[in-house]
């Protein structure tokens, strides 16, 4: 079996991060750990954390570091992720989170941090057309809707535009993201962990670029160790 991986994927919303994370988690046979999915499930279950998160997300605000890291720390200490690794999606967003994550993933550390680069105008277009199943989270778009009447092909749930996918909220979120993650990219670059990957083109092409970057890194590490 292919070796696992301890991978963080960064990229603004609409960069295809979720799609790539699913594909990479299948490729490396490790769990896809998505803070977005974890938070949505907390919101749906109306847990205390979920209720706090819901009102923040409605306002287009980011979730506080300690709330995110508590969830991530718990998930990454489970046996599947400590064994083979993980594809982490949605975290870290700040250097404070990165430092906290660094402590969580010791003693092995991360293998690599992928930054998916897609131009903002392309991202805005993708996000405005995005639709999602309220029950299972399956993704659709106005260009690729479900087969029947905005009913989910997978589970039969209702397919809608997310509350936080309006143009104003998207723009605010992208601006916040850029502001907050610029120092984060520098942080990983300084630690020689960052790989910038072109996120445009077909999902297949993007996955090949990411896998290629990881293969190159592994060859290099093997060479260093020999
Ligand atoms: Zn569904």
């Amino acid at each position: 079996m292919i070796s696992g991986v301890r991978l963080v994927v960064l990229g603004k919303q609409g960069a295809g991060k979720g799609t790539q994370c699913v594909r990479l988690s299948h490729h490396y046979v490790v769990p896809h750990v998505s803070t977005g999915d974890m938070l949505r499930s907390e919101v749906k279950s109306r847990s205390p954390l979920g209720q706090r998160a819901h009102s923040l997300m409605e306002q287009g605000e980011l979730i506080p570091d300690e709330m995110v890291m508590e969830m991530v720390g718990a998930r990454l200490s489970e046996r599947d992720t400590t064994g083979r690794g993980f594809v982490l999606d949605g975290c870290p967003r700040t250097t404070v989170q990165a430092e906290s994550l660094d402590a969580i993933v010791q003693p092995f550390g991360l293998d690599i941090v992928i930054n998916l680069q897609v131009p903002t105008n392309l991202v805005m277009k993708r996000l405005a057309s995005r639709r999602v199943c309220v029950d299972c989270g399956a993704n659709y778009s106005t260009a690729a809707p479900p087969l029947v009447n905005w009913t989910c092909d997978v589970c039969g749930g209702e397919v809608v535009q997310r509350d936080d996918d309006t143009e104003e909220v998207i723009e605010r979120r992208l601006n916040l993201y850029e502001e907050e993650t610029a120092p984060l990219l520098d942080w990983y670059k300084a630690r020689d962990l960052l790989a910038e990957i072109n996120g445009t083109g077909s999902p297949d092409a993007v996955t090949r670029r990411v896998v290629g970057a990881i293969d190159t890194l592994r060859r290099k590490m093997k060479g260093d160790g020999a």
Side-chain angles (χ1 to χ4, degrees):
M1 193 197 269
I2 188 168
S3 309
V5 75
R6 309 167 67 79
L7 179 64
V8 167
V9 182
L10 303 174
K12 45 188 166 247
Q13 282 201 289
K17 185 162 54 77
T19 304
Q20 289 305 319
C21 285
V22 170
R23 299 169 73 104
L24 292 164
S25 86
H26 290 162
H27 183 86
Y28 291 104
V29 200
V30 295
H32 171 205
V33 176
S34 157
T35 53
D37 288 349
M38 287 193 282
L39 277 169
R40 274 190 286 278
S41 105
E42 298 273 355
V43 168
K44 207 173 172 189
S45 69
R46 293 176 188 275
S47 68
L49 188 148
Q51 290 182 23
R52 264 156 62 217
H54 184 57
S55 73
L56 288 169
M57 287 191 285
E58 269 187 328
Q59 298 161 45
E61 300 289 346
L62 296 173
I63 308 300
D65 288 334
E66 58 278 12
M67 225 161 132
V68 175
M69 297 320 295
E70 191 186 315
M71 276 190 334
V72 170
R75 182 63 188 88
L76 293 190
S77 60
E78 284 172 32
R79 198 184 299 170
D80 55 347
T81 50
T82 54
R84 282 190 59 82
F86 48 83
V87 175
L88 183 56
D89 170 8
C91 168
R93 282 185 185 254
T94 62
T95 52
V96 174
Q97 289 188 6
E99 275 164 18
S100 168
L101 177 65
D102 191 51
I104 289 169
V105 297
Q106 290 309 322
F108 304 111
L110 299 170
D111 293 328
I112 193 168
V113 175
I114 299 289
N115 186 37
L116 290 177
Q117 293 180 312
V118 177
T120 301
N121 58 345
L122 191 62
V123 164
M124 289 290 290
K125 223 192 277 176
R126 277 189 192 169
L127 284 176
S129 73
R130 183 164 70 169
R131 300 294 182 270
V132 63
C133 171
V134 292
D135 289 332
C136 74
N139 283 299
Y140 299 93
S141 75
T142 50
L147 295 173
V148 183
N149 203 22
W150 298 104
T151 298
C152 179
D153 294 339
V154 180
C155 77
E158 190 187 357
V159 174
V160 300
Q161 183 166 37
R162 271 168 41 180
D163 293 347
D164 55 352
D165 270 353
T166 63
E167 208 160 303
E168 303 91 284
V169 182
I170 292 169
E171 195 165 5
R172 180 165 158 65
R173 214 164 49 203
L174 287 177
N175 288 339
L176 262 175
Y177 181 86
E178 298 264 329
E179 261 171 52
E180 293 217 345
T181 50
L184 179 65
L185 297 181
D186 291 342
W187 197 88
Y188 279 123
K189 207 170 181 178
R191 283 156 184 80
D192 207 17
L193 280 169
L194 187 69
E196 301 276 9
I197 301 288
N198 174 2
T200 62
S202 72
D204 269 345
V206 177
T207 305
R208 273 199 301 276
R209 286 178 208 133
V210 175
V211 170
I214 293 170
D215 285 349
T216 303
L217 176 88
R218 288 194 166 155
R219 273 197 302 274
K220 194 175 130 203
M221 286 182 61
K222 236 178 179 171
D224 286 352

